[in-house]
Amino acid sequence: MSLGTAAAKGLRLLAHHDLAGSGDGMQVMREGDAIYVGHSGTSRMGTSILDVSDPLRPRLVDQWAAPDNTHTHKVQVAGGLLLVNHERFPYRPTGPLGPHSAGLAVYDLTDPFAPEQIAFWESGGKGVHRIVWEGGRYAHMSAVPDGFRDRIWVAVDLSDPARPVEAGRWWWPGQWEAGGEQPDWPEGRRYAAHHALVSGDVAYLGFDDANLVVLDVSDMAAPKMIGRCRWGGGATHTCLPLPGRDLLVVTDEQQHDGPRAPERRIHLVDVADPAEPSYLGALPHPDGPYDDLPMRFGPHNLHENRQGSYRSERLVFATYFNAGVRVYDLEDPGDPREVAHWVSETPPGQRAPQANDLFVDDGGLIWVTDRTHGGLFVLEPEPELAALMEEARA
């Protein structure tokens, strides 16, 4: 199966790979000539590894199945290690957990195309959801350990990768059910950690319907909340700091199918004082008929400016589910502009495209997954956007 382009401005499709029919792509990351893709879980596949030494012809090298009743949909690569989450799947239902794997798998990448597992950190409970790891000592993640109602924030010490140990945790009061805590948030709301991106000693944590939580992590064993910002949206997901500009770009994940689901947006927050974050406004919503389509219409992920990837404090790259990939220029934070977009054709057996996650490599290629059946896409900026990307490079 080869998929093409339904709509585009400033971006063109270089290549597509259907991941051997397991097209439920989730997190995607490039390291050298290797691409690592986590799968959402519907295909029962866990992780795919591709050789992209020729980006025009990605070649599938290996795929691993996920353990029973488990998905391994997140990948992080740094410092010669691959980290993969293990979480109960499906993770929404309540009730008895049943047999599943819960925690963090650590792989050595001496051979990037043949990772060797060297450790597994047991989280207990439902397991680990999303991980942030750029090398160094600590991996940051969200998890539901035993005794907790929902996801909390956890730091794991990887100074000895073969023996990972928990270094610290933070949760919203009321989450620790086994400790007798009772929820203090409004009925019908969900307070749950998604993941935190760290700038210096500050972690910016998306906390679902609580929106933004700011943590002081100068003492990893005793993180503490120092700030919070609310804007009324829900399912807050990614909080991307732009440290040189005292800005934070935040997605509220669309979790409902359309047409005309509750609106979710990408937001801009002033964090000149992390203890007093100030809401600035929303980025432009994509133009087009997307609100009338089935499946999800709204933001999901941002390219996270990782070390070794393309980095900019001016250009923001986002997935918008059935509105594809959107690129924003924040030259003037008071007037953010969309400068490019790309939307795939609808995959067979699917009612709309569902751009899920993306990674912009240091050469400017954009790697995009589809959530349901579409697999992996490789995008290239057109000359005008390529020139802007070079100008805006951090």
Side-chain angles (χ1 to χ4, degrees):
M1 175 188 71
S2 182
L3 291 171
T5 298
K9 172 190 173 183
L11 292 166
R12 68 183 185 96
L13 178 65
L14 278 187
H16 170 253
H17 198 292
D18 71 355
L19 302 178
S22 296
D24 57 333
M26 184 64 76
Q27 193 164 33
V28 55
M29 197 150 290
R30 180 175 186 177
E31 180 78 1
D33 287 335
I35 284 280
Y36 303 90
V37 179
H39 292 260
S40 68
T42 54
S43 71
R44 300 293 302 277
M45 196 54 64
T47 308
S48 292
I49 304 173
L50 296 93
D51 182 338
V52 295
S53 52
D54 180 358
L56 290 171
R57 297 171 183 82
R59 180 174 65 88
L60 185 64
V61 176
D62 201 3
Q63 284 185 318
W64 315 327
D68 290 343
N69 307 311
T70 303
H71 67 172
T72 58
H73 61 319
K74 310 295 188 184
V75 291
Q76 292 281 280
V77 184
L81 300 177
L82 166 68
L83 307 186
V84 177
N85 75 314
H86 284 223
E87 181 180 46
R88 185 180 83 161
F89 183 79
Y91 56 87
R92 287 289 187 189
T94 57
L97 296 184
H100 65 282
S101 181
L104 177 73
V106 183
Y107 296 84
D108 177 85
L109 289 180
T110 299
D111 182 344
F113 298 106
E116 178 185 354
Q117 186 170 340
I118 58 172
F120 190 85
W121 176 73
E122 296 274 359
S123 68
K126 292 183 180 179
V128 169
H129 187 68
R130 182 148 175 149
I131 319 155
V132 176
W133 159 252
E134 294 191 66
R137 183 173 180 181
Y138 299 109
H140 310 281
M141 61 198 73
S142 54
V144 186
D146 289 322
F148 285 85
R149 302 177 190 277
D150 214 327
R151 295 191 301 256
I152 68 170
W153 182 84
V154 180
V156 170
D157 188 334
L158 288 173
S159 53
D160 181 354
R163 295 174 179 81
V165 294
E166 183 176 324
R169 58 174 59 182
W170 185 89
W171 67 90
W172 191 277
Q175 286 192 293
W176 188 24
E177 187 174 20
E181 295 181 0
Q182 295 298 316
D184 66 351
W185 51 87
E187 187 175 354
R189 292 292 201 168
R190 184 184 185 193
Y191 278 29
H194 197 273
H195 69 295
L197 296 177
V198 178
S199 178
D201 289 333
V202 178
Y204 295 98
L205 175 61
F207 217 82
D208 217 275
D209 294 336
N211 298 139
L212 167 66
V213 169
V214 185
L215 300 179
D216 178 343
V217 294
S218 55
D219 180 357
M220 201 62 70
K224 59 183 180 181
M225 184 169 75
I226 59 170
R228 187 183 177 200
C229 188
R230 296 290 310 276
W231 48 81
T236 299
H237 188 281
T238 303
C239 303
L240 172 66
L242 306 178
R245 306 187 65 193
D246 293 331
L247 294 174
L248 195 72
V249 186
V250 182
T251 63
D252 282 351
E253 179 186 1
Q254 179 58 269
Q255 296 180 332
H256 302 279
D257 284 345
R260 291 171 292 283
E263 185 178 80
R264 294 289 183 262
R265 301 291 291 270
I266 303 175
H267 309 278
L268 202 57
V269 179
D270 184 324
V271 288
D273 180 356
E276 295 288 342
S278 175
Y279 183 77
L280 297 177
L283 273 59
H285 222 26
D287 290 330
Y290 304 109
D291 202 23
D292 296 325
L293 295 177
M295 303 192 77
R296 299 185 186 194
F297 168 47
H300 188 208
N301 265 325
L302 301 173
H303 171 63
E304 294 182 348
N305 282 347
R306 293 173 56 86
Q307 296 180 33
S309 72
Y310 174 78
R311 305 176 81 176
S312 176
E313 295 204 343
R314 174 177 168 183
L315 295 182
V316 173
F317 299 79
T319 51
Y320 232 92
F321 288 125
N322 66 21
V325 173
R326 321 305 287 199
V327 184
Y328 300 95
D329 187 344
L330 303 185
E331 181 180 26
D332 177 359
D335 184 26
R337 299 181 299 117
E338 183 184 290
V339 293
H341 64 264
W342 179 86
V343 184
S344 79
E345 293 179 331
T346 299
Q350 200 166 309
R351 296 180 298 159
Q354 291 285 274
N356 200 33
D357 203 350
L358 81 170
F359 181 86
V360 187
D361 68 30
D362 190 52
L365 296 182
I366 303 170
W367 305 81
V368 186
T369 57
D370 182 274
R371 187 182 188 88
T372 309
H373 298 304
L376 177 69
F377 302 90
V378 190
L379 309 181
E380 180 181 51
E382 298 280 8
E384 185 176 349
L385 178 61
L388 180 58
M389 288 175 65
E390 197 57 38
E391 176 188 335
R393 188 184 287 268

